[in-house]
Amino acid sequence: MNDGPINEGKTKRKERMRFVSAEQVAQLAGVSRSAVSRTFTPGASVAPATRERVQKAAEELGYHVNDLARGVLANQSRLVGIVATRPEVGFRAHLAAALAKTLIKRGSIPILINTGQTEDELLAAQKMLIGHRAEATIILSGSPPESFVDIAHRNGQPLVVIGRTEPDADHVSAGNTEASGKAAVAFFDNGYRRLAVAASHSATSSIAERETAFRVVAEELGASVSVGRGRDSDYDSGIGAARQLFAQAEQPEAVYCANDLIAFGLMDYVRKTLGLRIPEDVAVIGFDDVPEAAWLSYRLTTFRQDPAVMAQRAVELVERRLANPDLPPAYERVIPELIIRDSFKP
């Protein structure tokens, strides 16, 4: 096999990727290599005139500090891993974006790992992050196995889990129980007695919490509750759940959807396929308040999770853990706000 062209290509790439070095900056500025290092080290002592010459030379050459090398020396990088399954979908996409923005503002480098929810897939993601000396890991999807938590603790790496409760990890969760109970009460107080919840078979702990809390409160009030579940927690599942719920002899008067994507699918099926009106024939409440919920096609009444608030809480937990690794696990709970639009008006 002739791999000459391949090796030649690698050589050319290496030649092109010749980053400006601190030594080149020192030569142009007429100072020592250590003076360049001190100039770009926060808090280091360097004469104002020297600092000015070094900064001018660095700007002229296009020099940037080698953060990777500094991370190796410190045995820690500024990387923070964001581990998620299907991070492009629904609320998770907005939460991942908010985390990236918050981490960058902090001076961290977010790295998004799109992974599955099995133990092997999560451990593979963790191996990658530990290998690159990531400063912390934030998990948006799936429950980390005990071995994942143990490895994080052994390496002194802060671990924050969002949207689920892990006894040995710091976590941020939404007030699923409070919001879902409030939805049941709101429907009941408005005279609805045939209620339903649209969820999914592959439910995360958050989706399961919302379904259970709604059913418990609604049944305690004396309402009947039917359940429709799609395959996943997405738009198609909303359609699937709607097919199940409205195929019954006693069709629901009001439906609580475990997230907005499910609500969109259900609303489109109810209006386009069944010819029913929302909210006149069927009232609908969702959960998340993704931007599409405010679109004229939906105008969905829903519980708002604020991705910026949840991201800020998660990063604060990372900083808390870095400052004091021996603190007990922290639990941050963010209670969603009910946003009233047209699909249900209390």
Side-chain angles (χ1 to χ4, degrees):
M1 179 177 178
N2 182 12
D3 59 355
I6 296 177
N7 288 333
E8 183 180 346
K10 289 181 179 179
T11 301
K12 288 182 177 179
R13 285 196 297 273
K14 288 180 180 179
E15 290 175 352
R16 285 197 298 267
M17 292 182 65
R18 289 180 175 175
F19 294 101
V20 177
S21 68
E23 185 63 38
Q24 289 174 283
V25 175
Q27 291 176 1
L28 181 60
V31 300
S32 67
R33 169 66 178 77
S34 62
V36 175
S37 178
R38 292 196 305 275
T39 296
F40 294 102
T41 300
S45 176
V46 59
T50 299
R51 183 185 302 277
E52 184 178 352
R53 290 206 308 275
V54 170
Q55 290 177 336
K56 182 179 179 181
E59 183 177 354
E60 182 177 335
L61 292 171
Y63 170 76
H64 292 275
V65 174
N66 188 341
D67 288 320
L68 180 60
R70 287 189 173 185
V72 170
L73 291 173
N75 200 33
Q76 185 181 71
S77 68
R78 296 292 287 173
L79 297 176
V80 174
I82 301 173
V83 180
T85 301
R86 299 178 68 196
E88 74 280 5
V89 175
F91 175 74
R92 200 177 301 136
H94 302 286
L95 179 55
L99 278 168
K101 184 176 181 179
T102 304
L103 288 167
I104 290 171
K105 185 177 181 180
R106 175 181 179 265
S108 300
I109 304 170
I111 175 170
L112 177 63
I113 299 181
N114 186 351
T115 185
Q117 297 189 38
T118 68
E119 181 172 343
D120 287 344
E121 289 169 319
L122 285 167
L123 289 175
Q126 184 184 40
K127 181 179 179 180
M128 181 185 299
L129 292 171
I130 293 291
H132 284 80
R133 298 299 186 263
E135 189 176 37
T137 297
I138 301 174
I139 298 181
L140 308 189
S141 308
S143 295
E146 289 184 10
S147 55
F148 193 112
V149 178
D150 180 62
I151 291 172
H153 289 335
R154 287 175 181 271
N155 285 275
Q157 186 191 68
L159 175 63
V160 177
V161 181
I162 300 181
R164 55 198 45 81
T165 301
E166 294 298 329
D168 296 321
D170 297 323
H171 47 277
V172 180
S173 67
N176 298 311
T177 301
E178 296 90 336
S180 302
K182 186 175 180 179
V185 171
F187 281 152
F188 191 86
D189 287 348
N190 279 264
Y192 299 113
R193 296 297 180 266
R194 297 195 309 276
L195 308 183
V197 55
S200 72
H201 287 293
S202 61
T204 63
S205 57
S206 293
I207 297 292
E209 279 182 17
R210 294 166 199 170
E211 176 187 327
T212 300
F214 181 84
R215 291 180 64 183
V216 168
V217 174
E219 289 171 354
E220 286 178 349
L221 290 170
S224 65
V225 182
S226 55
V227 180
R229 297 187 185 93
R231 181 174 176 272
D232 207 340
S233 304
D234 56 13
Y235 179 89
D236 288 339
S237 290
I239 294 176
R243 286 197 185 102
Q244 297 169 32
L245 294 172
F246 290 91
Q248 302 171 127
E250 291 288 325
Q251 294 185 349
E253 302 170 307
V255 184
Y256 175 55
C257 298
N259 70 22
D260 289 349
L261 295 184
I262 292 174
F264 299 153
L266 180 137
M267 292 173 75
D268 283 346
Y269 183 86
V270 164
R271 292 181 300 190
K272 305 297 183 182
T273 303
L274 302 181
L276 299 176
R277 300 168 299 165
I278 297 174
E280 292 84 358
D281 299 319
V282 183
V284 180
I285 294 178
F287 197 108
D288 282 339
D289 195 31
V290 296
E292 296 86 346
W295 289 4
L296 293 177
S297 296
Y298 297 110
R299 295 294 300 161
L300 175 65
T301 294
T302 185
F303 287 94
R304 183 166 198 264
Q305 293 194 86
D306 190 329
V309 170
M310 299 191 80
Q312 184 61 43
R313 298 284 180 87
V315 172
E316 288 171 357
L317 288 179
V318 168
E319 293 177 340
R320 171 183 178 272
R321 181 63 54 194
L322 288 171
N324 193 338
D326 298 323
L327 288 173
Y331 182 21
E332 290 283 341
R333 196 168 180 82
V334 181
I335 306 301
E337 174 190 2
L338 182 61
I339 305 299
I340 306 299
R341 296 193 181 96
D342 296 341
S343 68
F344 170 70
K345 293 184 177 180

